[in-house]
Amino acid sequence: MNRDGYSLVELMMVVGIVGVVSASAVPSLMSRKPQREMKQAVWQIYMDLQQAKALSVSESQSVTITVNNAQDQYSIWADSNGNGVRDVGETETVDLSDTPNVDLYAYPETVSFNPSGTVSSSYYYFYMRVMVASSENRYIYVFPNGHIDPMRDQ
């Protein structure tokens, strides 16, 4: 280094070192993209289920979640006028098919929260599985008492 600052050679060496270090980090970040997408999808589903449960209690009405396994979509229906028909504005559809690494599956395909916050189902629990290309699964269970539990596949 001279008194006037750094030489061009010194600056080019620093730029080269920073470039090599940055290039080595990119593949590591890209390999984690499917897991990040899956975690975001699980969080979105979990929050939507929590909001559906809260809406059923606060509005004293049933809220139904229906999953379309073939299209990686689910809809949330709150029959606000009590007529038993899906009217305009009563259904919100969430489409996860645009998330390339996420596969959505639910069994049974429909679950309803009662005004008490419990679930009306003839099954012990309702679950949604979110899977990524790396075959890691995350399950979101909804139990008859209304408890919603996101779990990781063991």
Side-chain angles (χ1 to χ4, degrees):
M1 180 177 124
N2 59 33
R3 289 181 47 158
D4 296 330
Y6 296 101
S7 69
L8 181 59
V9 173
E10 290 171 325
L11 289 174
M12 293 306 290
M13 290 291 288
V14 169
V15 169
I17 291 169
V18 169
V20 168
V21 170
S22 297
S24 66
V26 169
S28 174
L29 292 174
M30 294 306 290
S31 68
R32 295 181 187 173
K33 185 178 180 190
Q35 284 78 15
R36 279 194 315 271
E37 290 172 344
M38 179 188 63
K39 287 178 184 176
Q40 288 173 339
V42 168
W43 181 251
Q44 179 180 2
I45 294 166
Y46 176 75
M47 292 307 297
D48 286 345
L49 289 169
Q50 290 284 12
Q51 288 178 346
K53 178 181 173 183
L55 179 65
S56 71
V57 172
S58 68
E59 299 294 323
S60 295
Q61 64 183 15
S62 292
V63 177
T64 302
I65 295 93
T66 304
V67 180
N68 184 333
N69 290 327
Q71 296 182 356
D72 292 334
Q73 297 177 340
Y74 60 96
S75 61
I76 302 166
W77 174 46
D79 189 13
S80 56
N81 58 11
N83 67 356
V85 177
R86 289 184 186 229
D87 298 321
V88 175
E90 290 183 338
T91 303
E92 174 190 353
T93 300
V94 179
D95 188 357
L96 297 176
S97 64
D98 293 337
T99 309
N101 294 308
V102 172
D103 178 34
L104 180 64
Y105 177 80
Y107 185 81
E109 292 184 358
T110 301
V111 65
S112 294
F113 287 102
N114 298 319
S116 63
T118 60
V119 173
S120 59
S121 175
S122 58
Y123 297 93
Y124 177 67
Y125 59 83
F126 163 84
Y127 79 91
M128 295 173 82
R129 180 187 75 203
V130 181
M131 185 175 74
V132 293
S134 67
S135 74
E136 180 180 356
N137 294 320
R138 294 273 174 130
Y139 293 91
I140 303 169
Y141 292 95
V142 181
F143 295 94
N145 65 0
H147 178 70
I148 303 167
D149 190 9
M151 302 176 83
R152 179 180 219 159
D153 187 21
Q154 300 298 328

